[in-house]
């Protein structure tokens, strides 16, 4: 073109094109960004591999990884081939010339635009759908492993007579394959239809035929495949009825066939299967007939049949056959559901026994003696006394105890003692100064076990410690006390390198330590350091001088976290607990195998059934995978985590569980045989709380075996709300050494109560033998109260406690000022046909920031006591000692409590001292001065002891047959209760 302007005639300038330097810079930045993303992905993969190798469970990582990779590539490739092949075939079957119409002229522009990029476009589309399908398939690694390794249950379902493994292992995989097939068919139809339309095989507005013969044949085959898959779906739906959940008035999560399913849906699915097969054949026939008429008619017939046969007919059966006589129609299916549900949750052997709820024994002295042999009543509530442990045994601010302590058994002098136990764990919030070095290098671990008797308190209401101080010492002997892995240890630590750690402090100053275990990942390798710097978003890991030869990084440090990581196919109990075993602190973790494919067994949501007043205030006690719906559960694995080395061991506990056997085939060598559990470890294993909570929730309905009773709902129970707090959540189960009526001796048990649905009186008491290694372990016993009489439930008992004037006044007094009353666990103990309720009462107040046991509430047979100690309260309830709050019959109407008198001046002086100590205690109580109150109580006890000794000497030297009872040795027990704040302080 001629130059029409007056500008320069030299080379034309390139407007907007960046210079070579800028292009090089942009390219370099792009490469660096890609490399950064690649290294970030590599860092995640590499650190995971290093961690699994450090805990010696690398086979779990590799098996899971290769399974995911295999599923990704196989199903991704299948989807890509299916969609790509149909796009290629539709392009190949395009008509040679397109009709000259406005529609086709508009499409010509698109055809010309993509012509140079057809191959790349095809590859891009197939790669995209392949990636999506592969990613979706890789998430089914559990389904694949269960299918390929499935073990028989050796039990058949009552409807189809198939082994239960078909429903738990096979059917989920078949459903995945079916879903994948539907997705491939639908995407192929869409891709082929768009390609045919683009290249003229399908026409919407052009004159003439709407589709070419080739397009008709191609799409009809794809639609035939889709309908054939629908036929398979109808057939599988028949078996799916056995594990289908539905709304049923008998239970919220009914699973299995009902009358309408067996007599309407089941034949309907069979008929629809046949219709779908015929319809699919009609679609395939269009390859020869080249017409849509018959397939469209067949498809319409299938849709109409699905509406009439699959929807309307079952509704008619339900309305006119079932509802007029529902109990008779549903009873056979309810019986199947009852049997399957009880088997699936392990409650089929629960022993239900009728229990009067009232005692007929008149000998109260014998009843008082029976209490001690029936139960070791725990007055130290592990869910209350953690602050007390914290204040008395924390020692340093950088230590802390869990919010909820644990209950275990330890033997001393050949006798088992219920023990409240907690670890002195690391508390980073309490270190003197927070910085990266302190948080991750210097303060790295907790130190020692603290334990106390569960059944006793000292004279000031404090725990009676059996293991205490720093370093800890007591009844537990010698053990590795350092706690590098615990429930409160959530941050990573770098140990074993040039930076020394704070071990503990004593009167001689801080002691330092350098970790010598083989736990964690070695950071000597610069690649490892770089990977962790990226994975933890902490660049200092890469260049810090505090990291050197021997440095190891510890993370994933909570017991639940570690067990879940090495066994991702297990569901973890919400309460891991520590025990001293063979010179080591071991965290014991209960783990479950579950499935939601057990035919006829009703489903439950773990998060709902395991929730109680403790999980409401402490999320760390929540079960892992709490939103999972299951209808089969077994405590199949007991796991341990070493608090010092972090070593994880999995032990087979349920040797008959087919689900565990399946996972053991999938991950060989990860679970140790049950015989490898040492006796010292067996002594501390117990029945898990979350399994018990699931079972008690099911037993609230499934304790009945009769279908008629189950359908009527007249025997439905509920777990009562916790009466000791206002959370409105269920009362937690309690561990307690006790003896049920059919047992000859006490056993460590897990207990709970039931009330009738919508009422507060007691309907049943449930316990399970929780002591592992014994013949009765896992035996569930239910004491069923009569329905024609009313026995007080926990809420009513608590209400009675609070409503008695004397108790209410004392509690009001204890609540004055800065003081606050806290109620402990309300324990229920069956005793001689009746029920004994015991509740410790703590007071937190004055200058003390921790609760102390001040009172014990006891009720039995309508008698209630509120005394300083459990023994005093039991004595008062059973009349073993005189009730000083009740005046003698010949007292002349004077209702005040008077101290006993004596002619002996020594006795009188001691009694005067006792009265003064009592008055001092009352005064201190009003002021909330607990230290002074404790001193006064001690003085009172000493004075009464002196009075008893003086009176005893007098009786020996000058016996007086006609002496007043107040001058006998019984003066002491009859006087001491008057020191209770609930008594009148008159003299």
């Amino acid at each position: 073109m001629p130059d029409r302007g007056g500008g320069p005639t030299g080379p034309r300038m390139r407007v907007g094109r960046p210079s070579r330097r800028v292009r090089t810079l942009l390219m370099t930045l792009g490469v660096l960004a890609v490399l950064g993303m690649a290294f970030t992905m590599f860092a995640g993969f590499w650190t995971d591999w290093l961690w699994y190798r450090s805990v010696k469970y690398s086979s779990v990582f590799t098996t899971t990884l290769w399974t995911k990779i295999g599923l990704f590539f196989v199903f991704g490739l299948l989807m890509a081939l299916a969609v790509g092949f149909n796009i290629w075939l539709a392009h190949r079957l395009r008509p040679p010339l397109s009709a000259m119409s406005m529609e086709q002229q508009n499409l010509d522009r698109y055809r010309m635009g993509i012509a140079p990029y057809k191959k790349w476009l095809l590859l891009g589309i197939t790669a995209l759908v392949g990636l999506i399908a592969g990613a979706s398939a890789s998430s089914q690694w559990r389904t694949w492993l269960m299918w390929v390794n499935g073990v028989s249950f050796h039990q058949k379902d009552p409807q189809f007579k198939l082994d239960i493994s078909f429903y738990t292992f096979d059917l989920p995989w078949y459903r995945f394959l079916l879903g994948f097939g539907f997705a491939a068919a639908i995407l192929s139809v869409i891709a082929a239809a768009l390609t045919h339309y683009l290249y003229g095989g399908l026409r919407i507005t052009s004159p003439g035929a709407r589709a070419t013969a080739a397009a008709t044949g191609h799409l009809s085959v794809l639609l035939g495949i889709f309908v054939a898959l629908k036929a398979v779906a109808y057939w599988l739906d028949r078996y799916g009825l056995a594990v289908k959940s539905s709304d049923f008035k008998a239970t919220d999560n009914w699973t299995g066939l009902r009358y309408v399913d067996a007599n309407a849906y089941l034949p309907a699915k069979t008929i629809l299967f046949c219709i779908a097969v015929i319809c699919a054949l009609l679609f395939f026939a269009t390859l020869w007939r080249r017409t849509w008429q018959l397939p469209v008619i067949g498809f319409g017939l299938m849709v109409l049949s699905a509406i009439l046969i699959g929807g309307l007919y079952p509704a008619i059966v339900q309305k006119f056959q079932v509802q007029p006589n529902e109990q008779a129609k549903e009873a056979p299916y309810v019986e199947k559901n009852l049997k399957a549900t009880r088997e699936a949750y392990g409650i089929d052997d629960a022993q239900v026994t009728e229990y009067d709820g009232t005692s007929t024994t008149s000998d109260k002295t014998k009843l008082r003696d029976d209490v001690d042999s029936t139960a070791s009543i725990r007055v130290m509530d592990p869910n209350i006394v953690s602050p007390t442990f914290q204040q008395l045994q924390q020692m340093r601010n950088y230590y802390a105890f869990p919010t909820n302590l644990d209950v275990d058994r330890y033997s001393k002098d050949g006798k088992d003692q219920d023990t409240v136990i907690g670890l002195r764990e690391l508390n980073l919030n309490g270190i003197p100064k927070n910085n990266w070095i302190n948080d991750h290098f210097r303060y790295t671990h907790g130190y020692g076990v603290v334990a106390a008797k569960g059944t006793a308190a000292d004279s000031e209401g404090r725990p009676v410690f059996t293991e205490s101080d720093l370093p800890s010492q007591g009844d537990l002997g010698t053990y590795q006390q350092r706690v590098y892995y615990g429930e409160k240890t959530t941050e990573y630590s770098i140990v074993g390198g040039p930076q020394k750690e704070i071990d503990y402090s004593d009167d001689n100053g801080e002691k330092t330590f350098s970790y010598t275990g083989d736990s964690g990942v070695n950071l000597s390798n610069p690649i490892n350091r770089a990977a962790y710097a990226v994975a933890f978003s902490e660049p200092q890991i890469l260049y810090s001088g505090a990291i050197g030869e021997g440095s190891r990084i510890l993370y994933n440090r909570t017991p639940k976290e570690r067990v879940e990581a090495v066994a991702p196919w297990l569901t973890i109990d919400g309460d891991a607990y520590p025990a001293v075993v063979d010179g080591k602190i071991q965290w014991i973790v209960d783990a479950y195998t579950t499935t939601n494919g057990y035919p006829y067994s009703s489903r439950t949501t773990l998060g709902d059934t395991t929730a109680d007043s403790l999980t409401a205030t402490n999320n760390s006690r929540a079960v892992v995978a709490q939103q999972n719906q299951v209808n089969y559960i077994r405590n199949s694995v007991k796991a341990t985590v070493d608090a010092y080395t972090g070593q994880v061991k999995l032990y087979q506990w349920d040797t008959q569980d087919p689900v565990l056997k399946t996972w053991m085939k999938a991950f060989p060598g990860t679970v140790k045989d049950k015989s490898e559990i040492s006796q010292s470890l067996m002594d501390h294993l117990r029945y898990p709380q979350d399994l018990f909570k699931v079972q008690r929730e099911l037993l609230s309905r499934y304790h009945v075996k009769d279908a008629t009773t189950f359908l009527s709902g007249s025997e439905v129970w509920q777990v009562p709300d916790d009466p000791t707090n206002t959370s409105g959540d269920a009362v937690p189960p309690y561990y307690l050494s006790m003896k049920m009526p059919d047992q000859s001796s006490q056993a460590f048990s897990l207990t709970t109560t039931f009330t009738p649905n919508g009422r507060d009186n007691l309907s049943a008491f449930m316990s399970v033998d929780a002591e592992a290694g014994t013949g009765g372990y896992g035996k569930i016993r239910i004491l069923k109260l009569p329905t024609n009489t009313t026995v007080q439930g926990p809420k009513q008992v608590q209400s009675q406690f609070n409503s008695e004037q004397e108790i209410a006044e004392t509690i009001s007094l204890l609540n004055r000022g800065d003081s606050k009353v806290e109620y402990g666990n309300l324990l229920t103990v069956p005793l001689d046909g009746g029920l004994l309720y015991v509740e410790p009462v703590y007071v937190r107040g004055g200058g003390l920031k921790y609760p102390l046991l001040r009172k014990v509430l006891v009720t039995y047979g309508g008698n209630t006591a509120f005394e300083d100690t459990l023994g005093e309260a039991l004595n008062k309830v059973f009349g073993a000692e005189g009730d000083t709050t009740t005046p003698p019959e010949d007292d002349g109407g004077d209702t005040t409590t008077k101290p006993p008198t004596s002619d002996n001046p020594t006795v009188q002086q001691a009694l005067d001292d006792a009265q003064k100590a009592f008055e001092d205690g009352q005064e201190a109580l009003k002021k909330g001065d607990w230290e002074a109150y404790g001193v006064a109580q001690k003085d009172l006890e000493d004075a009464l002891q002196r009075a008893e000794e003086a009176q005893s000497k007098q009786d020996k030297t000058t016996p007086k047959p006609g002496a007043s009872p107040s001058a006998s040795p019984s003066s002491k027990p009859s006087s001491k209760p008057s020191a209770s704040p609930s008594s009148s302080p008159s003299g």
Side-chain angles (χ1 to χ4, degrees), residues 723-767:
T724 64
N725 61 47
T726 58
S727 67
D729 295 286
V731 62
Y734 297 124
Y735 287 106
L736 184 68
S737 289
M738 57 167 289
K739 180 175 67 176
M740 290 289 277
D742 65 332
Q743 292 179 294
S744 58
S745 60
Q746 291 185 23
F748 190 64
S749 305
L750 193 55
T751 65
T752 193
T753 53
F754 293 105
T755 58
N757 194 26
R759 302 206 308 276
D760 293 325
N761 57 290
L762 197 69
S763 57
F765 174 83
M766 171 181 168
S767 78

Side-chain angles (χ1 to χ4, degrees), residues 711-943:
L711 284 168
S712 70
S714 60
E715 290 289 334
V716 175
W717 300 337
Q718 65 182 13
V719 179
D721 293 339
D722 190 345
T724 64
N725 61 47
T726 58
S727 67
D729 295 286
V731 62
Y734 297 124
Y735 287 106
L736 184 68
S737 289
M738 57 167 289
K739 180 175 67 176
M740 290 289 277
D742 65 332
Q743 292 179 294
S744 58
S745 60
Q746 291 185 23
F748 190 64
S749 305
L750 193 55
T751 65
T752 193
T753 53
F754 293 105
T755 58
N757 194 26
R759 302 206 308 276
D760 293 325
N761 57 290
L762 197 69
S763 57
F765 174 83
M766 171 181 168
S767 78
V768 63
D769 193 332
E771 192 161 356
T774 61
Y777 174 81
K779 176 68 175 178
I780 297 175
R781 295 176 173 87
I782 299 175
L783 302 180
K784 183 175 179 293
L785 280 299
T787 56
N788 57 352
T789 59
T790 300
V791 179
Q792 286 187 324
K795 189 174 181 180
Q796 292 173 324
V797 170
Q798 187 69 45
S799 178
Q800 177 186 336
F801 283 157
N802 297 337
S803 62
E804 291 200 11
Q805 182 177 357
E806 184 178 343
I807 297 176
E809 289 176 355
T810 305
I811 290 177
S812 177
L813 184 63
L814 293 173
N815 265 322
R816 286 181 180 176
D818 295 333
S819 300
K820 178 184 177 183
V821 169
E822 296 182 22
Y823 294 103
N825 37 219
L826 179 57
L827 301 176
T828 309
V829 177
L831 177 66
D832 191 55
L835 290 160
L836 175 71
Y837 286 96
V838 179
E839 182 178 64
V841 178
Y842 300 82
V843 176
R844 187 199 303 240
L848 303 177
K849 301 301 180 183
Y850 55 92
L852 296 175
L853 179 66
R854 291 305 185 192
K855 292 288 181 180
V856 179
L857 285 161
V858 174
T859 184
Y860 183 81
N863 297 323
T864 301
F866 185 51
E867 302 298 324
D868 291 345
T869 67
L870 174 62
E872 292 174 359
L874 290 172
N875 289 341
K876 182 176 179 181
V877 163
F878 294 106
E881 293 184 359
D883 184 357
T884 59
T885 61
T886 303
E889 291 183 0
D890 59 351
D891 193 55
D894 184 2
T895 59
T896 59
T897 302
K898 300 179 180 180
T901 60
S902 173
D903 295 332
N904 186 336
T906 305
V907 174
Q908 187 61 49
Q909 180 60 48
L911 292 176
D912 291 342
D913 292 343
Q915 181 64 27
K916 183 178 184 305
F918 169 70
E919 293 171 352
D920 291 344
Q922 293 296 296
E923 187 66 26
L925 193 62
K926 293 177 182 179
K927 297 178 180 179
D929 188 343
W930 293 109
E931 185 175 355
Y933 180 77
V935 172
Q937 291 294 98
K938 185 68 169 62
D939 292 343
L940 174 61
E941 186 175 357
D942 292 342

Side-chain angles (χ1 to χ4, degrees), residues 624-697:
V624 173
Q626 57 181 322
Q627 295 307 314
N628 284 6
Q629 272 212 331
V630 304
N631 67 353
Y632 171 95
I633 186 169
R634 289 289 185 272
N635 176 210
S636 52
V637 171
K638 300 284 189 180
T640 62
V641 178
D642 193 296
Y644 180 70
T645 65
Q647 182 183 26
V648 182
K649 292 182 180 179
L650 307 176
Y651 296 98
Q652 182 183 16
W653 185 247
D654 189 333
T655 57
Q656 304 301 316
D657 179 26
V659 181
L660 177 60
K661 292 179 180 179
T662 296
W663 286 119
M664 290 175 67
K665 280 183 63 178
F667 296 96
T670 57
V671 181
K672 298 178 180 295
D673 192 76
K674 186 177 183 178
S675 62
E676 295 188 40
I677 299 177
S678 66
Q679 184 58 49
S680 54
L681 175 59
M682 185 73 74
D683 291 340
H684 296 282
L685 299 182
R686 67 189 191 188
Y687 202 83
Q689 291 189 63
D690 284 336
L691 175 61
F692 185 76
K693 287 189 279 189
V694 170
Q695 290 174 327
R696 73 173 180 179
E697 183 67 29

Side-chain angles (χ1 to χ4, degrees), residues 12-33:
R12 186 177 302 174
M13 296 180 64
R14 297 182 178 178
V15 180
R17 183 180 179 88
S19 66
R20 177 176 297 178
R21 179 179 297 176
V22 174
R23 292 201 306 274
T24 303
L25 178 61
L26 292 174
M27 186 175 297
T28 302
L29 291 175
V31 170
L32 290 175

Side-chain angles (χ1 to χ4, degrees), residues 546-560:
I547 301 175
E549 189 65 31
S551 291
R552 310 181 72 85
I553 185 168
L554 313 180
Y555 61 105
N556 287 351
R557 298 171 70 182
T558 66
K560 290 164 62 177

